[in-house]
Amino acid sequence: MSSKLSDFISEKNIVMDLHAKTRDEAIHQLALILQQNGSVSDTDDFYHDVLHRESLTTTGIGNNIAIPHGKSTSVIQSTMLFAKNSEPLAWHSLDGSEVNIIFLMAVSPESKGDAHLRMLAKLSGKLMDDDFVKAIKSAQTSEEILKILKS
């Protein structure tokens, strides 16, 4: 049973300087990075699957954090990406807050069992921890983020 967020997020999937102007632009830029990293085969296909999921219910969970995710046939390997945007974005968050911390989950429909549910449960648990949230918000480098995710 996986126990650390770092099992789901590799250093290449940590983006500290995203400069998106909108939620959709952020998701598209992150989908592109996932394709460049070999986790997604088709940026646009994955992007549209994530937007479809967003249309069902917001993934802006409050506290300036969003957890967008897409179950998509273009996902080669289920993974998670962490991004910090340079400015807060409107995201229709549950608490009305804008978002600058994004955890994007890419899930393969073929992924065995409940890998994405474990990923989401692990992340949700961590996001209940004020110290964890404070740490990721103040971290300046991908190394710092990785260290926090390993704790």
Side-chain angles (χ1 to χ4, degrees):
M1 191 75 158
S2 183
S3 62
K4 291 185 169 65
L5 279 176
S6 56
D7 296 342
F8 303 116
I9 302 180
S10 64
E11 191 165 357
K12 67 181 181 177
N13 282 353
I14 296 176
V15 182
M16 297 303 289
D17 54 353
L18 193 67
H19 295 291
K21 300 289 182 216
T22 64
R23 177 197 73 179
D24 293 8
E25 189 184 323
I27 292 170
H28 194 268
Q29 287 180 19
L30 297 176
L32 197 58
I33 290 166
L34 286 173
Q35 181 174 2
Q36 290 163 352
N37 290 345
S39 299
V40 168
S41 60
D42 184 320
T43 299
D44 290 333
D45 187 46
F46 177 67
Y47 167 72
H48 289 296
D49 288 335
V50 174
L51 285 191
H52 172 70
R53 172 63 190 75
E54 284 291 326
S55 73
L56 304 176
T57 179
T58 184
T59 58
I61 60 167
N63 207 4
N64 311 110
I65 299 168
I67 313 175
H69 46 286
K71 196 173 241 193
S72 175
T73 54
S74 62
V75 175
I76 298 163
Q77 181 184 5
S78 294
T79 189
M80 195 185 311
L81 182 148
F82 170 89
K84 191 176 274 200
N85 201 55
S86 56
E87 59 189 80
L89 303 169
W91 207 286
H92 313 297
S93 296
L94 297 174
D95 67 352
S97 72
E98 294 185 313
V99 164
N100 70 328
I101 301 286
I102 303 164
F103 287 92
L104 174 61
M105 295 194 330
V107 181
S108 162
E110 285 85 48
S111 89
K112 303 280 181 281
D114 56 358
H116 72 287
L117 293 176
R118 285 208 312 269
M119 223 174 355
L120 191 56
K122 189 73 203 163
L123 179 58
S124 299
K126 284 288 201 182
L127 292 175
M128 302 267 187
D129 176 353
D130 292 340
D131 292 334
F132 174 82
V133 171
K134 227 177 283 172
I136 59 171
K137 285 184 173 185
S138 61
Q140 299 297 311
T141 66
S142 53
E143 292 77 16
E144 285 178 75
I145 291 293
L146 210 54
K147 191 174 169 197
I148 295 162
L149 297 177
K150 283 183 173 163
S151 60

